[in-house]
Amino acid sequence: MIGKFSSAKILGIETSCDETAAAIVEDGNRILSNIVASQIDIHARYGGIVPEVASRQHLLTIIPVVNKAMTEAKVTWQDIDGIAVTFGPGLAGSLLVGVNVAKAIALAKQLPITGVNHLEAHIYANWLRKEKPPCFPCLCLIVSGGHSDLVLMRGHGQFEKLGRTRDDAAGEAFDKAARILGLGYPGGPAIEEIAKSGTPCLSLPRAWLRGSHDFSFSGLKTALWHYVQREEILTTASSVADAAASFQYAVVDVLATKTIKAARELGVRQILLSGGVAANKLLTEQFHNSSPVPVLVPPPHLCTDNAAMVAACGYYHFQTGKISGYDLDVIPSLSLG
Ligand code: KG4
Ligand code: ZN
């Protein structure tokens, strides 16, 4: 694969959380197939992800998902140039399934393998586009179920973490708020949907953490909880919609204001959004309306967990000679930059 920079096909594998995913991506930007087997229905009855259930489900679905990715892309193993797999951060038992399957295939088919950081992969969802690729330096906001990271990217593989969450991640805050409001799991889409029929009329607190690029959402979540206890809002549908709209607006306000301020200070050329919360329409609208520099956002199905982003990231790893050995292991607490 090294030295072969055109028509290079990478198999991406992603099993860090509750999606079993495999994809084939050509030249780091053309998706030939992108298969995601979601476990959402299985975990929804528990109101959140059950790690043991997740890893067992990955075991059941990973081989069919990889086979489907190969079939849909109309490729054989001879066409594949390398394998990229998420090795962290994530749930240990879930990560192990993807990493071991990737290593077994690499060994059997004599293919190079590269371990990919899931957060880096989220950023690379922005390279999965037909138009011009992103340009450096850019400021990346990764907002997912486990992370709210603000990262300066100066080039491929060059990351400097500027800020992170001090407590709940943005997606986690959406999930917890949805539970407080008696809505479904995952919370982000549920809140976004019901918020359409509400207005952001409640004044909920924002943790600005001035002088720092960090985020904090647990105070906002607690304020919502107190409001629900006080007002017994669960009795009327319209007040639930207003509470959801107010919560969503508060999260979006903090994420957009702090990120855009940092982008101005740093003089970056673009802002790249990624992660499940970047699928939120209000968030992207707020960024597009207020940012002085272009804002890139992947389509919603590439914001949430998928393997095409892992393959895109892996393509650049191979280009820069970042290859893993068969001793590649999972790192559940891996961070970026
Ligand atoms: O990136 P992702 O698929 O998985 C992780 O790496 O965590 O993100 C999942 C998170 C969940 O917390 C979910 O509630 C949130 O992204 N999410 C959203 C939306 N879609 C997914 N949050 C707000 N608005 C959405 N439309
Ligand atoms: Zn993710």
Side-chain angles (χ1 to χ4, degrees):
M1 157 72 197
I2 313 213
K4 182 188 172 189
F5 293 147
S6 80
S7 302
K9 295 180 185 65
I10 306 299
L11 164 65
I13 295 180
E14 158 64 44
T15 63
S16 67
C17 194
D18 62 341
E19 322 279 0
T20 316
I24 315 288
V25 172
E26 191 171 40
D27 294 340
N29 63 5
R30 263 190 313 285
I31 299 177
L32 303 185
S33 65
N34 187 22
I35 310 299
V36 180
S38 174
Q39 303 177 7
I40 281 179
D41 293 345
I42 297 167
H43 298 286
R45 75 185 80 141
Y46 305 106
I49 296 156
V50 183
E52 178 68 21
V53 174
S55 51
R56 282 167 188 267
Q57 198 58 32
H58 285 307
L59 272 177
L60 290 175
T61 44
I62 185 70
I63 301 294
V65 163
V66 169
N67 285 338
K68 197 165 177 209
M70 297 289 290
T71 309
E72 279 202 8
K74 298 190 178 67
V75 293
T76 66
W77 289 110
Q78 277 76 42
D79 300 318
I80 300 295
D81 297 286
I83 302 176
V85 62
T86 302
F87 73 110
L91 302 168
S94 292
L95 290 163
L96 273 168
V97 176
V99 166
N100 283 313
V101 164
K103 286 200 285 191
I105 299 174
L107 193 60
K109 306 293 178 190
Q110 287 299 294
L111 288 167
I113 184 171
T114 185
V116 165
N117 181 318
H118 181 78
L119 302 170
E120 187 181 351
H122 268 304
I123 294 175
Y124 273 90
N126 283 293
W127 266 261
L128 295 166
R129 57 177 60 235
K130 292 192 184 81
E131 313 84 55
K132 222 170 138 268
C135 45
F136 303 119
C138 52
L139 184 61
C140 310
L141 176 69
I142 313 158
V143 270
S144 68
H147 294 83
S148 310
D149 284 350
L150 197 60
V151 178
L152 176 63
M153 186 176 185
R154 295 187 197 277
H156 288 296
Q158 292 173 41
F159 303 102
E160 186 187 332
K161 180 139 90 183
L162 306 174
R164 58 180 175 86
T165 179
R166 292 202 184 163
D167 37 59
D168 292 347
E172 187 182 1
F174 268 103
D175 294 336
K176 288 179 177 170
R179 207 182 299 182
I180 291 170
L181 295 173
L183 305 171
Y185 171 85
I191 287 192
E192 177 164 33
E193 185 54 34
I194 197 162
K196 285 180 193 158
S197 52
T199 48
C201 53
L202 313 186
S203 75
L204 293 172
R206 280 111 165 111
W208 293 111
L209 306 178
R210 292 188 204 283
S212 156
H213 293 305
D214 285 352
F215 299 101
S216 164
F217 295 108
S218 75
L220 170 63
K221 171 195 66 188
T222 308
L224 180 73
W225 186 82
H226 282 299
Y227 178 80
V228 169
Q229 303 305 308
R230 227 177 25 244
E231 306 291 326
E232 293 177 344
I233 65 158
L234 296 182
T235 50
T236 75
S238 71
S239 55
V240 172
D242 286 347
S246 306
F247 176 85
Q248 175 177 245
Y249 184 59
V251 174
V252 163
D253 190 16
V254 173
L255 290 173
T257 305
K258 293 198 67 156
T259 305
I260 290 167
K261 182 168 181 283
R264 277 206 178 90
E265 286 166 7
L266 295 159
V268 295
R269 294 175 66 191
Q270 287 179 340
I271 291 175
L272 272 50
L273 304 183
S274 62
V277 181
N280 186 283
K281 243 181 125 217
L282 183 71
L283 182 80
T284 54
E285 275 170 17
Q286 186 83 356
F287 267 95
H288 286 308
N289 292 339
S290 347
S291 171
V293 294
V295 179
L296 270 51
V297 194
H301 71 286
L302 297 176
C303 286
T304 48
D305 287 353
N306 65 86
M309 66 186 194
V310 178
C313 182
Y315 171 80
Y316 288 97
H317 277 203
F318 286 125
Q319 272 208 352
T320 51
K322 239 192 234 174
I323 298 178
S324 307
Y326 292 128
D327 58 349
L328 175 67
D329 201 358
V330 304
I331 306 184
S333 59
L334 187 66
S335 69
L336 182 64

